Amino acid sequence: MNQPLIKTGLRYGIIGTLVFIAAYTSLAFIFKNPPFSLPVPLHALALFLFIFGAAYELRTQQQSLHFWQGGAIGVIVYLCIAIGSVFCIHSLFAYGDQVIEWERTARLHYASINQAQMENYVGVEGVVEQKIQEIRTFGAWRLAINNYLWINLIIGLFLSIFVAFLLRKKKVDTPT
């Protein structure tokens, strides 16, 4: 394995995790009914900055960056951020039963208001009722994984590919 790749990726991943945890925690204490996540464009921008920073630092250390290295460092960074965010969100939700209840109430309200539209969209009767039953029984782990792990993984994958393509650079041989 390429040690600078792993060290740089872990360093940026841990720093990114701490930044995301600080953002989630501050949202939890600022709002009574916290959104608990950054808006998707802001979330994507923050992920991009950490992935880009890690890939750029690796490129300057090695004077080159292959596409696979950029992709690998991006995966390390966004996996650290995703896993750290899930544990943070789980702990915030697990110790605040009222927060789970707020989230459950908001989702049930949205599902009940838009039940006819969702059934027309899906085209199968009973699917919305099944989803409402799932909402009534979800807990902290399910909420954290569904809302935060998947967001980080999907956005991070595409950003890693983009950054790897953007920063790939082969070594330039200098004439002697």
Side-chain angles (χ1 to χ4, degrees), residues 31 34 98 106 112 130 160 165 172:
F31 297 104
Q98 189 167 2
S112 65
Q130 180 184 0
S160 292
F165 180 75
V172 179

Side-chain angles (χ1 to χ4, degrees), residues 4-77:
L5 184 136
I6 295 171
K7 286 180 182 178
T8 305
L10 286 175
R11 186 172 65 248
Y12 275 84
I14 291 169
I15 293 169
T17 300
L18 295 175
V19 168
F20 274 79
I21 287 173
Y24 295 148
T25 307
S26 64
L27 286 173
F29 288 111
I30 290 173
F31 297 104
K32 296 290 183 206
N33 186 0
F36 268 114
S37 68
L38 303 172
V40 173
L42 185 60
H43 192 99
L45 178 65
L47 267 177
F48 173 77
L49 291 175
F50 287 108
I51 293 170
F52 184 84
Y56 187 78
E57 183 176 322
L58 184 67
R59 185 178 92 168
T60 56
Q61 286 175 358
Q62 298 181 344
Q63 285 84 37
S64 70
L65 185 75
H66 296 284
F67 182 78
W68 70 269
Q69 290 172 318
I73 201 164
V75 167
I76 292 169
V77 170

